[in-house]
Amino acid sequence: MSYLNLGIVAHVDAGKTSLTERLLHHSGVIDRPGSVDRGDTTTDSLALERERGITIRASVASFPAGDVTVNVLDTPGHPDFIAEVDRSLAVLDGAVLVLSAVEGVQAQTLVLMRALQRLRLPVIVFVNKVDRRGARPDAVADAVARRLSSDVLPVQRVLGAGTPGARVEPLPDDGLRAWLADESRRGTAHPVLFGSAATGVGVPDLVAALGTYLPVVADGGGLAVRGSVRADDAAEPGTDTPSAVGPREDAPSGVVFAIDREDGRKRAFVRMRSGVLRVRDRVDLRHGKSERITALRVANRGTLEPRPTAEAGQIAVVQGLATARVGDVVGPERPGDERGSQFPPPSWETVVDAAPGERGRLYAALSELAEQDPLIRVRRRAEEITVSLYGEVQREVLAAILQREYRVDARFGAVRTARTERLVGAGHAVEIKKQDGNQFHATIGLRVEPVAPGSGVTFELECERGSMPPAFFDATEDTVRRELARGPLHWPVPDARVVMTHSGYSPRQSHMHQKFNKAMSSTGADFRGLAPRVLAAAVRRAGTVVCEPVHRFVIELPEDTVGPVASLVGRLGGVPFESRAGSGGIVVMRGEMPAAAVAALQRDLPGLTHGEGMCRTEHDRFEPVREAVRA
């Protein structure tokens, strides 16, 4: 058995969910293709998805394509849910990038293609909706070559474009097909196909192309070689050098790419990379936990079937991994497992509140949702709860999920820029147990030091680890990390080196012939209670500066609109770096601006560019804001 883990990605409304339905129907998995308008698609299973007609969470379906089992991940197209796409990219063997033959290359199309190219994932470009009025398949193919990648090659042509009778036929093979198949599996060139998910035109050709242009994984984790590609030549998706897809070893290994809950039970979605995973197996997770698998389900023919085992290449839904997090490796790690996100973290956040009696439930619900989406950051300081967001649509969906799934009526404030705090120096503080107002049975000394942006928080010891029970060190570290997530000026401190310089505790004691007495002995609560006070003093002495996110932008616009757009960028606090001429009278402008101004840029750009301007932005760094106050 061979497997292909395939992502369907697109700008919103390009037709990727309809295409997924048509693929399932063509393969005989479903009797008729579902409709987004009717709300009966296979992969959009959430009630919210059916009501809104958009994909919110990535979902898995499976269908046979000859001797290959294709596990297809239908991903959201709306940019507010880019985190779902990010998690899916980590487990794909290849992708189909869907464009509309009417709208063509759009802003999210560019973002997705850049991410696929960074990972060197093999990509088939599928131009959908060739039957719609206004379809321009040839012009869209030209735009793909001009704006996405010069290494693309159409293998079909469209007859009767823009009419209900539109159809496709293959172009004559001029000797390039073998080269294209070879390069496509390496992720260095991309075939362009055409069709219509609405009518099914071109879908059989796309199914056939999957096995020709994308690498499949054989049972056991190796590449199932097709065409002229040799196993030792095939590049592993996401790497720069040829290799096999996975280590040929018996030990089960996989990566957790999604987490959700069913009937209150946690489920981890795992892409298996090697070996065989069995119910009752005990497995190690990346962060050191060892847990036992209680149930397995495997994607097969449109459903998730209970199975006793899951093997390399399959998508498995695993129960029993209570502490699993997205990105965890199940079993032995491999080089490259420390894969970073392909998309920037959210640049906005909002305050969330509920009735006084529901605030605890609200925080618990948001924390559970953040576990499913690691790019969402939930912070709580005193009575204020904040959550990071990608945009307004995500806020609306989050409110609906809280009400429907958790029975919490949440109130969301205005969306604001998500800032951070950066240490500007080193600071040290220490408190000795039962001295100078310290009522805790704990001694803690902490030194904080600034580190390079993006380094994260590290916790180190200068005191002897054997000087007190390990649980007290763990309690201190956990508290430090939690407190740094909500810094002294209410913004998180994402990068810092924290060193524990002093430690001390009171051993378990009791009065004669009596049980253990908390009033005389240290507990974890002493260290959790004292650590925030010591850390706050150390951070205050180090000083912090508040920083805001800065985005880089790329704007494609008509040549005669460069002046007005450059003026707009300047008014918004941005700086254009360069403007260079492209093809067809299009100019490409690059620069940077505060994230808080991006929404205004995207709002005003169409009016200044006759509706032809297109902008994509991505997080670059954090810089101090002018009004920032040092602590």
Side-chain angles (χ1 to χ4, degrees), residues 73-245:
L73 278 73
D74 180 23
T75 62
H78 197 287
D80 280 14
F81 306 105
I82 197 67
E84 291 288 326
V85 182
D86 184 61
R87 293 194 291 277
S88 300
L89 294 184
V91 299
L92 298 182
D93 303 311
V96 173
L97 178 65
V98 184
L99 291 81
S100 165
V102 178
E103 287 80 12
V105 177
Q106 297 172 278
Q108 190 73 350
T109 316
L110 292 162
V111 171
L112 292 168
M113 188 61 173
R114 297 295 175 258
L116 294 167
Q117 289 172 327
R118 284 194 295 269
L119 290 170
R120 287 193 63 192
L121 276 172
V123 177
I124 294 174
V125 177
F126 184 78
V127 181
N128 190 27
K129 302 185 181 182
V130 297
D131 58 323
R132 272 187 51 189
R133 179 179 297 178
R136 306 169 293 114
D138 292 339
V140 171
D142 289 342
V144 168
R146 190 173 65 251
R147 306 178 73 175
L148 297 184
S149 171
S150 59
D151 296 313
V152 296
L153 183 66
V155 297
Q156 298 170 317
R157 62 185 171 195
V158 181
L159 304 177
T163 70
R167 59 188 178 89
V168 300
E169 67 176 20
L171 289 170
D173 189 349
D174 56 3
L176 286 176
R177 295 294 177 84
W179 169 86
L180 180 61
D182 197 31
E183 295 301 314
S184 177
R185 286 193 293 267
R186 289 188 170 94
T188 54
H190 316 291
V192 180
L193 284 78
F194 303 89
S196 168
T199 65
V201 165
V203 171
D205 304 275
L206 176 60
V207 172
L210 298 179
T212 301
Y213 297 112
L214 301 180
V216 297
V217 182
D219 181 6
L223 283 179
V225 182
R226 295 176 181 272
S228 61
V229 178
R230 306 189 312 272
D232 57 354
D233 282 344
E236 179 182 353
T239 66
D240 293 327
T241 56
S243 69
V245 164

Side-chain angles (χ1 to χ4, degrees), residues 54 96 127 176 183 218 230 242 266 302 366 411 479 490 569 575:
I54 61 173
V96 173
V127 181
L176 286 176
E183 295 301 314
R230 306 189 312 272
K266 186 173 181 177
L366 287 171
R411 300 187 299 272
T479 304
H490 304 281
V569 169
V575 179

Side-chain angles (χ1 to χ4, degrees), residues 289-488:
K289 298 290 184 180
S290 178
E291 299 187 289
R292 190 176 300 279
I293 295 172
T294 59
L296 281 173
R297 280 191 278 180
V298 172
N300 185 52
R301 296 188 65 85
T303 63
L304 295 171
E305 295 182 354
R307 295 279 184 88
T309 62
E311 62 187 25
Q314 290 183 322
I315 299 290
V317 180
V318 184
Q319 291 184 352
L321 308 183
T323 62
R325 300 184 298 222
V326 170
D328 270 348
V329 172
V330 177
E333 294 196 36
R334 310 183 314 173
D337 279 341
E338 291 291 342
R339 169 193 171 275
S341 171
Q342 296 302 305
F343 302 101
S347 293
W348 293 274
E349 70 175 21
T350 182
V351 174
V352 191
D353 200 6
E358 292 191 331
R359 285 174 184 156
R361 290 174 52 219
L362 170 64
Y363 183 69
L366 287 171
S367 299
E368 193 171 285
L369 291 171
E371 180 185 64
Q372 300 172 24
D373 186 347
L375 293 182
I376 289 181
R377 186 174 58 235
V378 178
R379 296 186 291 116
R380 184 176 189 176
R381 190 178 184 91
E383 292 299 310
E384 184 179 89
I385 301 173
T386 59
V387 60
S388 56
L389 296 169
Y390 279 102
E392 296 283 353
V393 174
Q394 187 183 16
R395 179 177 65 169
E396 295 170 7
V397 167
L398 194 56
I401 291 175
L402 287 169
Q403 201 282 324
R404 294 187 180 194
E405 298 185 12
Y406 296 93
R407 298 294 185 265
V408 175
D409 291 318
R411 300 187 299 272
F412 286 77
V415 174
R416 66 192 186 191
T417 304
R419 295 174 171 177
T420 64
E421 292 183 58
R422 183 185 301 166
L423 294 170
V424 296
H428 181 246
V430 61
E431 292 206 22
I432 308 299
K433 59 185 177 72
K434 294 301 182 179
Q435 293 184 18
D436 301 323
N438 176 10
Q439 298 302 311
F440 296 99
H441 283 280
T443 293
I444 297 177
L446 297 174
R447 185 175 69 252
V448 297
E449 301 171 357
V451 293
S455 300
V457 174
T458 61
F459 185 86
E460 304 170 15
L461 297 180
E462 278 187 359
C463 47
E464 291 288 338
R465 177 164 285 278
S467 62
M468 64 181 186
F472 296 159
F473 287 113
D474 293 342
T476 304
E477 179 178 357
D478 290 346
T479 304
V480 163
R481 293 184 179 276
R482 187 184 67 244
E483 291 298 309
L484 286 177
R486 50 188 189 191

